[in-house]
Amino acid sequence: MLQTRDLIWGLLFIGCAAAIQVQITPTQGEISVGESKFFLCEVVGDAKDIDWYAPSGEKILPNMPDIFVNRADETTSTLTIYHANVDSAGIYKCVAKNGDKEAQATVQVKIFQKITFASAPSPQEFNEGDDADIVCNVVSSPPPTIIWKHKGSKIQVAKDVRYKIMDNGHLQIRGIKKIDEGMYNCEARVMARGEIDFKMIKVVVNVLPTIRARLSEVNATADIGSSALLACDADGFPEPTVTWAHNNIVLETGDKYSLNEDGSELVIKDVKKVDEGDYTCIAKNKAGEKAEEVSLNVFVQPKITYLNNQTASEFDNQVTLTCEALGDPTPTISWSFENRVFTEGEQASWTRPDKYESLDRNIVVRSHARVSSLTLKNIVFTYAGQYLCTASNSIGQDNQHMYLEVRYAPKIQGRVTVYTWEGNAANISCEVEAHPGASVVWFRDGLQLPSANTTNMKIYNTQSVSYLEITPDSQSDFGSYNCTATNAMGTDSKEFLLIQAEVPSSPEIQQVEPFSSTAVVAFEEPDSMGGVPIIKYKVEWRLPGQDWTGSEHDANDEMTTITIVGLKPETTYEVKMSAINGKGEGESSLASTFKTEPVQGEPSAPILEVKVQDKGNTLKVNWIKQDDGGSPIKHYLVRYKAVSIPNKEKHVSDWKPEIRLPYNSEYVMLNGLDWNTEYEVHVVAENQQGKSEPAVISFRTATDPTTIPDAVDSSSGLGTGAIVGILIVVFFLLLLGVDVTCYFLNKCGLLMCIAVNFCGKAGPGAKSKDIEEGKAAFTKDESKEPIVEVRTEEEHIPNQGGGGPTEPNETTPLTEPEPAAADTTSTVVNLLPCTATNSVAESFSTAQSSPASESITLTTSASSPTKAAPANSSPKNSPAAQSSSLNANTQPDVGPLVDLSDTPKVPSPTPLVSEPVSPPSTNADGPQSQRDPVKAPDSTQNKDSQVDGPTKDAPNILCTGSTTPAQNDGKTVKDDKTKGQTELKNATDEVKTVPNEAPQTNGNESKA
């Protein structure tokens, strides 16, 4: 049973597989000429071959040019018709085969002509007044119906006889006008297919040019290198081209003529008389051309040939000013004085050659031919000044000034009353107008000032004002003063009053507007100012029965209110006011009582004021604190923005970052603002309760100074930065010059420090300078100077002058031989950081400029020639030695004697007087080390170190443990810091003074 059923199903399946079905999509097709279209043949069932056949019955091969067949897979095939034409129409067949099985389907293809505009050009141009034939050729199958539209409406041929639709579909407009210009719609319709298409055609109506001369006659001036402009304006469509002709010759741009871009303006350069004549302006376009003539008249510019200055005296009957001028055409002459032109019954013209007079008949103008006269009657001093004569005609004018000098007696002006008070200087101004200049004299009670008895009066004179400065000493200085001015024309005098100023009366408090912590007092200014301006107002307030608290406020013309701050809420106060002028404080007003309001919460908005700074784009915004709402102001919040910028119709920028300022701030500076820009500023006061309403103010910054006309080109001058740079360079060059000078002359300065610290070199001339200074320090007259006795161990050093050993004594000069001096100088330079030196000469010269010290004093004595004593040892460069040198103070008559009792004595021709002293404690180096800082000739600093005063501990540390090589007969002495400090403490006990008794031996040597 199961096998039978399977067999039946298999046969059914095989039978179905053998059947073939064919379907074409789309089932029919319409193709416009020139368009392309494809058809899809779908086969149901197994098909070995799928072929397409043309309407002619021929099989369509795969690679035909306009018809293409493509089998995509086993069940579909595509027929594509490209660029269809009329021959492509017919029935196409798709056949599917599989062995002896075959199926087919057909499709009907129709070809039609779409609406096509074969000829419809745009734009189409016509001349105004012509019969216009607007072309619109349309092709279609079947032929279309043509409809014309203009300005959105269908043209009704029956209603307007000017319109006609031709058999070929063209639109004819009889006598076309400019108003007919525009876009025309040529619409084609095929009713059978419902097909519609249109073409927009622009119709242009050309208009014949019209031409108009700006001036039919143009006047020009000959022989002065001027130019004449001839211009005509042409209209038409399209825009006409303009050319110029003169004597039938077309003019072109060159040396003589120039034309502007559209040719409407002709400039004739360097006009001559021969250029006079008619010039033709020709305008031409597609519609035709038109011409217009312009006449050029060449004349001579006016020239004033006669005009002289005049002189008159006040109260003369009259003076006549005359002005003559030449020109072609004949010029008219006018007069003007201080911006007043004599016309309307005062001014004559060539069309009114008669005499004309002013209303008061004091000014008369007469004109004849090329001459005009101005007559001034009943002369007064105000007639003096510059008069302008203007000669003008149709082509130009000439101006010249003349001066009328009026001599008149002095006339005194000025404020009659002057207020001041005792001890306060006041100026009485006597303003004098006179010609010639007048001499001014002041009188008081018939006596000329200043007199011998008046010391409190001074007179200052300028060209037109005399000032009498009076500083009243008493009531008698107040009163009348006479000013008398005199010149060749006469004399004038005037009395001036110097009045005692008084304190102002009290201002009147009109209203007090209280708040929680402030109150606004409105007042009226005093009835009497006392004769001098009020400079301050004083406001005082208090709790009833307590002391007054007050504040003063600078007065100004607009001040009518004053704000009191720092009040307590819900408290009763009394307030009074007074005014202050230069004389003093006036009486106080009656006290007014008010009570402050309860705590309000937020503060009141501050009152704002803007002040422009010297730099135009920097502004200072001030504010006046108002009521704080009962709790202190924490801070102020400021923000601003630009609200309008030039050359922009509307511009609103964003707010700049908010600025927070402390509670006690009174202003904010806004820098770097844009030029010529309007800004809006908001200021908010904030306390614990919240923020106030914003106080708003607007302002505009100044115009950018770089836009000022006639400014000097920045490239032609030095900018601020360049000038500052040059000044800095010059300053450093000066410093460098000073430093170099100090380096070579005084062995000091920055170069000296660099040479010592980094190069290890001595300054120039250090060796010879030390020796020379050692000599010079002691070449003074020893008869008037004390000497310094230095006791040392006995050592023989060759004398600088003789070169051989000499007998040592206490007056032997302390200079060393040349080799030793050279070594000493080197040591001095190397020890600059330690403020130690071996220069004997500088130790004495510095002693005069170092700070005074009571411990050790070294006094140099310039002596006559003395016997040289050898310095038997070189001193140690210890800190104590430095202190000794720096604290030295010169004594004029007596020199200290250093007693070195612990050291071996040397023979001396001069008796020494000394007092016994207790020797200081001895350390490891022996007593010699303790005495060295005082006795040693080389134990002082060089001049660079001495300027800085006593040596501190820090420099001493640098030298601790160091050895200073001092060439003293080949011996080297070590320094010890501790011993130096001990010697400084005990030095006072060792200093003694002796009279100068040393014999004079050698003029090139010195005492110590």
Side-chain angles (χ1 to χ4, degrees):
M1 187 66 180
L2 182 59
Q3 295 176 352
T4 304
R5 187 178 63 183
D6 293 340
L7 180 61
I8 294 172
W9 280 106
L11 293 174
L12 290 173
F13 178 77
I14 293 171
C16 292
I20 299 175
Q21 295 180 0
V22 178
Q23 181 180 358
I24 297 176
T25 305
T27 57
Q28 63 178 3
E30 290 186 353
I31 307 175
S32 174
V33 175
E35 292 185 350
S36 302
K37 199 166 188 177
F38 72 91
F39 299 90
L40 180 63
C41 179
E42 296 178 300
V43 178
V44 178
D46 292 335
K48 182 177 181 182
D49 299 320
I50 302 176
D51 298 317
W52 286 86
Y53 292 88
S56 62
E58 297 179 356
K59 181 178 179 181
I60 300 174
L61 300 178
N63 296 321
M64 294 182 68
D66 294 330
I67 300 177
F68 180 74
V69 175
N70 178 34
R71 184 170 180 178
D73 51 33
E74 296 296 331
T75 60
T76 60
S77 178
T78 302
L79 171 67
T80 304
I81 301 175
Y82 291 101
H83 310 295
N85 52 39
V86 178
D87 297 335
S88 302
I91 298 174
Y92 289 83
K93 180 170 62 176
C94 177
V95 179
K97 296 180 181 180
N98 187 359
D100 56 350
K101 303 294 184 179
E102 179 178 321
Q104 65 180 15
T106 61
V107 61
Q108 178 75 32
V109 176
K110 297 179 180 180
I111 306 298
F112 66 93
Q113 176 65 53
K114 288 180 61 177
I115 296 175
T116 303
F117 291 90
S119 176
S122 179
Q124 299 184 33
E125 297 186 20
F126 308 95
N127 291 337
E128 188 176 31
D130 293 348
D131 292 339
D133 184 8
I134 305 174
V135 177
C136 182
N137 297 325
V138 185
V139 177
S140 73
S141 56
T145 301
I146 304 299
I147 300 174
W148 285 89
K149 296 180 180 180
H150 179 51
K151 296 182 180 178
S153 301
K154 182 179 179 181
I155 295 175
Q156 302 291 336
V157 178
K159 294 183 179 180
D160 194 339
V161 295
R162 294 193 312 120
Y163 294 101
K164 181 180 178 180
I165 298 178
M166 312 296 288
D167 294 339
N168 57 2
H170 296 185
L171 174 65
Q172 184 185 69
I173 305 177
R174 298 184 182 91
I176 193 168
K177 302 176 182 178
K178 188 65 178 176
I179 59 175
D180 296 325
E181 191 174 63
M183 300 299 297
Y184 285 79
N185 186 352
C186 177
E187 185 176 284
R189 298 185 179 187
V190 177
M191 301 301 294
R193 292 192 300 275
E195 184 181 1
I196 184 171
D197 199 0
F198 65 91
K199 182 76 171 181
M200 299 300 295
I201 300 173
K202 182 178 181 180
V203 175
V204 178
V205 179
N206 295 327
V207 181
L208 186 69
T210 59
I211 193 167
R212 180 184 69 261
R214 297 182 191 174
L215 294 173
S216 59
E217 291 189 3
V218 176
N219 298 326
T221 305
D223 304 324
I224 61 171
S226 63
S227 300
L229 174 64
L230 310 182
C232 64
D233 297 318
D235 294 326
F237 193 86
E239 187 74 23
T241 59
V242 180
T243 57
W244 288 84
H246 178 53
N247 296 332
N248 296 324
I249 298 175
V250 177
L251 305 180
E252 297 180 353
T253 299
D255 295 337
K256 183 62 177 177
Y257 306 102
S258 66
L259 296 166
N260 66 344
E261 187 174 349
D262 61 3
S264 63
E265 296 180 353
L266 171 67
V267 177
I268 304 173
K269 305 174 185 176
D270 192 15
V271 176
K272 305 293 184 182
K273 189 66 176 178
V274 294
D275 295 325
E276 191 174 50
D278 294 333
Y279 290 78
T280 304
C281 177
I282 304 169
K284 184 177 182 179
N285 67 0
K286 295 180 180 180
E289 69 177 40
K290 283 289 183 71
E292 182 77 11
E293 288 189 348
V294 179
S295 297
L296 174 63
N297 301 318
V298 179
F299 300 106
V300 178
Q301 186 175 1
K303 179 66 176 177
I304 295 176
T305 58
Y306 179 84
L307 185 66
N308 290 332
N309 296 333
Q310 297 287 338
T311 300
S313 297
E314 192 174 23
F315 309 125
D316 285 353
N317 289 333
Q318 68 178 34
V319 63
T320 299
L321 314 180
T322 303
C323 181
E324 295 182 7
L326 297 176
D328 183 15
T330 301
T332 59
I333 300 177
S334 62
W335 294 88
S336 61
F337 174 67
E338 293 182 350
N339 298 324
R340 180 185 177 190
V341 178
F342 300 125
T343 58
E344 302 286 336
E346 298 173 3
Q347 174 63 56
S349 69
W350 303 118
T351 59
R352 302 191 303 266
D354 298 334
K355 179 182 75 173
Y356 289 88
E357 298 180 351
S358 62
L359 297 178
D360 58 5
R361 296 187 179 183
N362 285 331
I363 301 176
V364 180
V365 178
R366 292 184 178 91
S367 297
H368 176 71
R370 295 181 176 86
V371 180
S372 178
S373 64
L374 174 65
T375 301
L376 305 174
K377 298 181 179 181
N378 301 322
I379 306 301
V380 293
F381 76 97
T382 56
Y383 285 175
Q386 278 193 340
Y387 287 77
L388 176 66
C389 174
T390 302
S392 61
N393 60 15
S394 57
I395 59 171
Q397 69 178 27
D398 186 23
N399 300 319
Q400 282 192 23
H401 290 90
M402 62 83 58
Y403 188 82
L404 175 61
E405 177 185 358
V406 178
R407 299 166 59 87
Y408 58 95
K411 302 180 187 302
I412 297 179
Q413 300 175 354
R415 194 175 61 173
V416 175
T417 58
V418 178
Y419 289 85
T420 187
W421 58 92
E422 294 178 6
N424 182 67
N427 286 330
I428 302 177
S429 301
C430 181
E431 301 174 10
V432 180
E433 291 187 3
H435 184 75
S439 61
V440 180
V441 180
W442 289 88
F443 294 94
R444 175 80 189 276
D445 297 333
L447 298 178
Q448 184 175 340
L449 300 177
S451 63
N453 298 327
T454 58
T455 59
N456 59 340
M457 300 181 188
K458 298 179 181 177
I459 296 176
Y460 303 95
N461 293 318
T462 66
Q463 185 174 0
S464 60
V465 183
S466 178
Y467 299 96
L468 174 62
E469 181 187 287
I470 305 174
T471 305
D473 293 333
S474 63
Q475 185 64 34
S476 62
D477 290 327
F478 296 94
S480 176
Y481 290 83
N482 176 272
C483 174
T484 301
T486 305
N487 69 357
M489 303 300 297
T491 301
D492 190 19
S493 64
K494 190 172 186 179
E495 296 291 329
F496 294 88
L497 295 177
L498 183 65
I499 302 175
Q500 173 82 18
E502 302 294 338
V503 295
S505 60
S506 62
E508 181 181 353
I509 298 178
Q510 293 183 315
Q511 180 184 358
V512 180
E513 183 179 3
F515 298 93
S516 59
S517 64
T518 61
V520 178
V521 180
F523 64 94
E524 280 189 356
E525 64 182 14
D527 295 333
S528 172
M529 303 293 182
V532 291
I534 293 177
I535 56 178
K536 289 185 179 181
Y537 285 103
K538 184 176 181 180
V539 182
E540 296 178 284
W541 64 93
R542 69 176 181 180
L543 295 173
Q546 297 188 10
D547 294 335
W548 292 96
T549 300
S551 62
E552 293 183 356
H553 304 266
D554 293 334
N556 57 61
D557 295 338
E558 300 177 356
M559 177 179 286
T560 58
T561 61
I562 293 177
T563 302
I564 304 173
V565 298
L567 305 180
K568 297 179 181 180
E570 295 187 274
T571 305
T572 300
Y573 288 90
E574 293 179 347
V575 62
K576 65 179 182 178
M577 286 187 63
S578 60
I580 303 173
N581 62 10
K583 179 69 179 292
E585 181 180 351
E587 295 182 356
S588 297
S589 65
L590 296 177
S592 296
T593 304
F594 66 92
K595 183 176 182 180
T596 54
E597 299 291 332
V599 175
Q600 298 176 357
E602 297 84 0
S604 300
I607 298 176
L608 302 185
E609 179 187 22
V610 170
K611 292 185 178 179
V612 180
Q613 303 301 299
D614 293 339
K615 192 175 181 181
N617 64 340
T618 297
L619 289 104
K620 181 179 181 181
V621 180
N622 296 314
W623 56 79
I624 300 175
K625 175 186 174 183
Q626 300 301 299
D627 185 51
D628 60 10
S631 58
I633 301 293
K634 295 197 306 181
H635 47 250
Y636 290 94
L637 305 176
V638 181
R639 62 175 184 166
Y640 64 98
K641 67 177 180 179
V643 294
S644 69
I645 296 179
N647 303 325
K648 296 184 180 179
E649 294 183 0
K650 187 175 182 181
H651 176 84
V652 178
S653 65
D654 296 332
W655 289 102
K656 302 298 183 182
E658 190 173 66
I659 304 172
R660 183 184 297 262
L661 297 171
Y663 69 93
N664 55 353
S665 301
E666 296 181 351
Y667 67 91
V668 64
M669 298 292 294
L670 304 180
N671 300 308
L673 304 178
D674 294 331
W675 294 102
N676 195 21
T677 302
E678 185 175 352
Y679 281 88
E680 180 178 305
V681 181
H682 288 194
V683 179
V684 174
E686 184 175 4
N687 63 7
Q688 296 290 345
Q689 305 299 323
K691 299 179 180 178
S692 70
E693 292 294 324
V696 182
I697 193 169
S698 298
F699 59 87
R700 179 174 289 275
T701 54
T703 304
D704 190 345
T706 59
T707 61
I708 296 177
D710 300 331
V712 179
D713 187 2
S714 60
S715 62
S716 63
L718 292 176
T720 303
I723 294 175
V724 173
I726 291 173
L727 292 177
I728 293 175
V729 171
V730 171
F731 178 72
F732 277 106
L733 289 177
L734 289 175
L735 288 181
L736 182 60
V738 172
D739 191 68
V740 171
T741 303
C742 293
Y743 176 72
F744 284 99
L745 297 181
N746 298 328
K747 298 186 298 176
C748 62
L750 182 61
L751 291 178
M752 187 67 184
C753 291
I754 294 175
V756 172
N757 289 283
F758 298 101
C759 302
K761 297 180 180 180
K767 175 180 70 176
S768 59
K769 183 175 179 65
D770 289 344
I771 298 174
E772 291 173 1
E773 290 185 355
K775 296 176 181 179
F778 303 102
T779 56
K780 299 181 182 178
D781 185 4
E782 69 175 14
S783 62
K784 297 181 181 180
E785 298 291 339
I787 65 170
V788 177
E789 179 183 42
V790 181
R791 299 181 181 179
T792 63
E793 295 180 358
E794 184 176 357
E795 290 186 6
H796 297 281
I797 299 176
N799 192 343
Q800 182 180 356
T806 58
E807 185 69 19
N809 57 44
E810 283 123 359
T811 59
T812 301
L814 301 181
T815 54
E816 295 180 331
E818 194 74 76
D823 295 337
T824 302
T825 303
S826 176
T827 305
V828 170
V829 175
N830 292 329
L831 291 178
L832 267 175
C834 306
T835 63
T837 181
N838 292 323
S839 172
V840 65
E842 290 179 6
S843 71
F844 291 110
S845 63
T846 306
Q848 301 176 8
S849 60
S850 300
S853 172
E854 296 180 356
S855 59
I856 299 177
T857 303
L858 298 180
T859 304
T860 62
S861 173
S863 67
S864 300
T866 59
K867 296 181 74 174
N872 61 346
S873 66
S874 176
K876 299 177 183 178
N877 295 305
S878 64
Q882 300 164 18
S883 300
S884 301
S885 301
L886 294 173
N887 289 312
N889 186 18
T890 302
Q891 301 294 332
D893 297 324
V894 180
L897 176 63
V898 181
D899 186 3
L900 303 178
S901 57
D902 296 337
T903 59
K905 306 284 178 133
V906 294
S908 174
T910 304
L912 300 177
V913 180
S914 64
E915 295 180 2
V917 295
S918 57
S921 58
T922 305
N923 57 17
D925 289 338
Q928 179 62 36
S929 298
Q930 300 174 9
R931 301 300 186 266
D932 284 341
V934 177
K935 70 179 181 179
D938 297 324
S939 61
T940 58
Q941 300 173 339
N942 61 26
K943 292 183 180 180
D944 295 337
S945 302
Q946 293 167 5
V947 176
D948 297 330
T951 309
K952 308 298 181 189
D953 292 340
N956 295 338
I957 297 173
L958 298 176
C959 300
T960 303
S962 63
T963 302
T964 303
Q967 299 295 334
N968 292 320
D969 220 13
K971 295 183 180 181
T972 303
V973 184
K974 286 190 176 181
D975 182 20
D976 189 287
K977 175 181 177 182
T978 306
K979 291 182 289 183
Q981 294 174 346
T982 304
E983 293 165 354
L984 179 61
K985 297 177 181 178
N986 299 319
T988 306
D989 298 330
E990 299 177 357
V991 178
K992 303 296 176 181
T993 61
V994 297
N996 187 359
E997 299 176 356
Q1000 301 177 358
T1001 58
N1002 191 345
N1004 294 327
E1005 297 177 353
S1006 60
K1007 297 180 181 180

